[in-house]
Amino acid sequence: AARPGVARWASSAKGEEGTVVRREITSSELDNVLERTKAKPAASALAEGISGSNLIYQGEWVENWEALLEQARAAYPERDGPRRSRLRRRHEAKRKAIRAQHWQQKLERIEAHHRELLVRKKRAVERQGWFGPRLAS
């Protein structure tokens, strides 16, 4: 029977002999866990300020912010080469592959046409025969 104010659940941890471990938590402990995991509103996050890697603008500017910005830009190395070169290389490779396929298809069409002409010529020679054209009797 469940006791009032106590939550029960089966943990994924295994106890002795592989049995499922059952855990209990009181409602006040559950409230504490839920309170800690609750998302904080933006205003309180802003009031807390910068913590760790969470950089939030505090509304205060340094006096020499323009000089600091120029210094940061000067320290950042220039990027070599134009942008989107990988995309352009990919498109060029695709176009080159398609052109190669079309060229191969063209050669195959030419060869097929040549074979067909040879077959027609062979049939024409057979129709004519040694003693002239074969006439219907």
Side-chain angles (χ1 to χ4, degrees), residues 70-132:
E70 289 302 319
Q71 183 182 359
R73 285 185 177 153
Y76 195 75
E78 285 291 320
R79 180 177 168 143
D80 294 334
R83 281 144 168 87
R84 298 189 185 165
S85 58
R86 268 186 280 168
L87 181 66
R88 189 169 54 248
R89 269 200 310 261
R90 242 183 314 209
H91 284 299
E92 287 175 8
K94 184 175 180 180
R95 279 195 298 271
K96 185 177 178 182
I98 290 172
R99 286 181 67 182
Q101 290 172 3
H102 288 176
W103 178 254
Q104 188 63 37
Q105 289 171 353
K106 180 179 179 179
L107 292 179
E108 290 171 2
R109 283 194 309 268
I110 291 171
E111 289 173 3
H113 180 67
H114 182 66
R115 284 193 307 270
E116 180 62 32
L117 289 180
L118 290 176
V119 168
R120 284 185 193 174
K121 183 177 180 181
K122 183 179 175 184
R123 287 180 186 155
V125 168
E126 286 176 356
R127 269 197 312 271
Q128 289 178 354
W130 182 257
F131 300 108

Side-chain angles (χ1 to χ4, degrees), residues 19 28 50 79 133:
T19 58
S28 61
I50 300 172
R79 180 177 168 143

